């Protein structure tokens, strides 16, 4: 219950004065810790370790919901001139059981893998790109080193902008158009745990490219352009999520525009997911929001399905990230399906082409 209350405060959805005050005090300590770490990183004699392959970091400055994973998927899809077996992704497997292990987990067919073991995002990427290399390790340098030993000529570091143990040849920072700096619109938000901010906006000066996701209007694009001028002069790529359809275990699911549905998800920012469903003309009768990366409990999901059925719902809909975590996908009072979306470039196509070419050049220079 406390965790849910904290999540609502971080998302700006209310909360008691006492809880907000307590979290604000904690956020001051977090902010001080970030500032202290940046100071020692800039003055330390110990340089970040290098591996024998270029490292491209896909990072952010807020916790959850910016769109790092969809953008990484887009890049993996578009880097067609590099063999998949030569591309590796290293992540810490957030919320996975292996996140606390000291070793490196190589995701492959020889292991009995689950989203609970390696983290939902790592597992989803592995299922969508089985020919690429995926490695989970809380020590990013060890993970990248293992990837190179397994033949990687290009390493993507998933969510490693605040990590200084591994040298990064290129940094791509993904922002959310509706809360660029953690607050509403272009306002600076609070640091964790009072708000979603995990780094100073000034850190954007370290970025080689900036991606602004959920840029679904010209107003948001122009607003972001103006705000980012104060922090960076690097190329900016504007993107948004585009629905590809609804799917279940058997394949595509046809759903009428006015279908009555129940929805559940464990996202840092579920608003974009809900907005997407509403844009499809779907009637959302009831919703169940879990913590970011939280798995839906089978018994609780069964009760939610029964509740949704009594409200006239025909389906339960979740995100692809929630789908891969489900242990049981059939046998409920209502059929389950997930919405599959892909990231589309809406402005900055030339900047995106430059990004892809820059990555290819990094690989050629190391070969």
């Amino acid at each position: 219950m406390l965790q849910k209350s904290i999540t609502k405060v971080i998302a700006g959805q209310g909360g008691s004065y006492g809880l907000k005050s307590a979290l604000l005090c904690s956020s001051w300590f977090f902010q001080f810790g970030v500032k202290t770490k940046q100071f020692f990183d800039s003055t330390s004699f110990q340089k970040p370790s290098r591996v024998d392959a270029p490292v491209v970091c896909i990072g952010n400055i807020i916790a959850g919901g910016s769109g790092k994973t969809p953008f990484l998927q887009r890049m993996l899809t578009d880097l067609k001139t590099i063999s998949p077996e030569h591309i590796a992704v290293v992540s810490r497997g957030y919320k996975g059981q292996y996140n606390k292990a000291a070793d490196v987990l190589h995701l492959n067919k020889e292991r009995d893998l689950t989203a609970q073991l390696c983290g939902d995002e790592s597992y989803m990427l592995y299922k969508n790109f089985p020919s690429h290399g995926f490695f989970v390790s809380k020590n990013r340098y060890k993970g990248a080193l293992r990837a190179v030993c397994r033949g990687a000529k290009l390493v993507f570091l998933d969510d490693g902008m605040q990590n200084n143990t591994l040298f990064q040849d290129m940094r791509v920072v993904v922002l959310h158009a509706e809360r660029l700096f953690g607050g509403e619109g272009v306002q600076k938000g609070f640091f964790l745990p009072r708000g979603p901010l995990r780094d100073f906006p000034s850190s954007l000066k370290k970025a080689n490219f900036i991606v602004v996701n959920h840029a679904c209007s010209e107003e948001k694009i122009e607003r972001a352009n103006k705000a980012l001028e104060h922090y960076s002069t690097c190329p900016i790529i504007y993107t948004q999520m585009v629905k590809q359809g609804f799917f279940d275990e058997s394949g595509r699911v046809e759903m009428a525009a006015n279908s009555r549905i129940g929805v559940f998800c464990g996202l840092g920012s579920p608003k974009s997911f809900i907005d997407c469903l509403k844009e499809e003309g779907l009637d959302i009768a009831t919703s169940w929001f879990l913590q970011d990366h939280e798995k839906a409990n089978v018994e609780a999901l069964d009760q939610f399905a029964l509740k949704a059925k009594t409200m006239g719902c025909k389906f339960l809909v979740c995100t692809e990230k929630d789908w891969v975590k489900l242990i049981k996908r059939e046998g409920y009072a209502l059929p389950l399906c997930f919405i599959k979306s892909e990231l589309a470039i809406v402005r900055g196509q030339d900047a995106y082409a430059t990004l892809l070419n820059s990555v290819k050049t990094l690989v050629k220079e190391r070969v």
Side-chain angles (χ1 to χ4, degrees):
M1 184 64 71
L2 177 60
Q3 183 61 46
K4 289 185 177 181
S5 298
I6 293 175
T7 301
K8 286 184 177 181
V9 172
I10 293 175
Q13 299 173 352
S16 67
Y17 175 79
L19 180 59
K20 287 182 178 179
S21 299
L23 294 177
L24 180 59
C25 292
S26 298
S27 74
W28 290 337
F29 285 104
F30 186 94
Q31 181 175 345
F32 177 75
V34 172
K35 196 72 174 177
T36 302
K37 182 180 182 300
Q38 289 181 347
F39 172 77
F40 281 109
D41 285 346
S42 63
T43 59
S44 175
F45 292 105
Q46 184 175 358
K47 301 296 182 181
S49 301
R50 291 176 178 265
V51 294
D52 194 21
V55 175
V56 178
C57 172
I58 311 293
N60 62 14
I61 63 171
I62 64 171
S66 61
K68 289 186 292 70
T69 302
F71 186 74
L72 177 55
Q73 288 189 103
R74 176 65 191 258
M75 288 198 69
L76 293 177
T77 300
D78 292 341
L79 286 169
K80 301 181 185 300
T81 59
I82 305 176
S83 299
E85 61 269 20
H86 292 155
I87 301 177
V89 177
V90 176
S91 68
R92 61 175 174 149
Y94 184 64
K95 291 289 185 177
Q97 296 167 0
Y98 220 83
N99 181 41
K100 299 178 182 179
D103 200 5
V104 179
L105 174 65
H106 180 199
L107 280 60
N108 56 55
K109 296 178 181 178
E110 299 175 4
R111 306 199 64 141
D112 185 17
L113 299 173
T114 64
Q116 287 69 43
L117 175 65
C118 51
D120 51 11
E121 291 177 345
S122 299
Y123 186 69
M124 183 179 72
L125 285 168
Y126 165 70
K127 298 295 285 185
N128 287 336
F129 298 90
S131 298
H132 293 68
F134 293 94
F135 300 82
V136 171
S137 176
K138 66 178 183 180
N139 186 314
R140 306 305 177 84
Y141 171 67
K142 284 186 177 180
L145 197 61
R146 176 73 66 84
V148 172
C149 290
R150 292 298 182 103
K153 296 181 180 178
L154 170 64
V155 176
F156 280 102
L157 186 59
D158 183 17
D159 191 20
M161 185 176 170
Q162 289 75 33
N163 187 291
N164 197 46
T165 61
L166 177 63
F167 181 83
Q168 301 168 14
D169 296 83
M170 183 183 295
R171 289 188 179 97
V172 181
V173 183
V174 184
L175 305 175
H176 195 302
E178 294 183 357
R179 47 195 182 109
L180 281 177
F181 312 124
E184 190 71 25
V186 298
Q187 300 299 314
K188 181 183 174 183
F190 294 105
F191 273 81
L192 289 166
R194 174 61 179 84
L197 203 60
R198 58 190 295 201
D199 206 341
F200 292 95
S202 58
S203 64
L204 292 174
K205 66 179 181 291
K206 299 185 294 184
N208 300 99
F209 293 86
I210 291 176
V211 178
V212 179
N213 195 22
H214 305 294
C216 53
S217 69
E218 286 296 319
E219 178 187 357
K220 290 181 180 178
I221 292 174
E222 295 305 324
R223 183 178 64 186
N225 256 334
K226 187 174 181 179
L228 290 170
E229 287 177 354
H230 300 287
Y231 298 104
S232 177
T233 58
C234 73
I236 304 175
I237 303 162
Y238 290 93
T239 64
Q240 69 178 42
M241 303 307 298
V242 178
K243 181 183 75 70
Q244 300 300 305
F246 297 94
F247 297 83
D248 62 11
E249 291 282 69
S250 303
R252 184 178 290 272
V253 174
E254 297 301 329
M255 195 177 301
N258 60 349
S259 296
R260 194 170 178 82
I261 63 171
V263 301
F264 67 97
C265 65
L267 300 174
S269 177
K271 183 178 181 298
S272 299
F273 169 54
I274 298 299
D275 288 346
C276 180
L277 295 174
K278 288 181 178 179
E279 288 170 5
E280 293 298 313
L282 297 172
D283 179 15
I284 302 175
T286 182
S287 57
W288 177 27
F289 298 133
L290 299 95
Q291 304 303 308
D292 193 17
H293 298 277
E294 183 183 354
K295 179 185 69 175
N297 176 273
V298 173
E299 290 76 17
L301 184 55
D302 195 37
Q303 292 299 313
F304 180 66
L306 288 169
K307 172 188 173 183
K309 187 174 183 178
T310 62
M311 300 175 71
C313 296
K314 302 299 182 183
F315 294 93
L316 290 186
V317 182
C318 64
T319 69
E320 186 177 8
K321 191 168 76 169
D322 293 290
W323 180 263
V324 300
K325 289 181 289 191
L326 293 176
I327 298 174
K328 176 186 173 185
R329 296 171 178 168
E330 297 177 330
Y332 296 99
L334 290 174
L336 271 59
C337 64
F338 67 93
I339 183 171
K340 189 174 183 65
S341 301
E342 290 184 359
L343 184 139
I345 312 296
V346 296
R347 187 188 287 190
Q349 287 84 353
D350 290 344
Y352 182 64
T354 300
L355 168 59
L356 293 178
N357 289 330
S358 298
V359 171
K360 295 173 187 176
T361 300
L362 283 174
V363 175
K364 289 179 180 178
E365 289 175 347
R366 291 291 187 93
V367 174

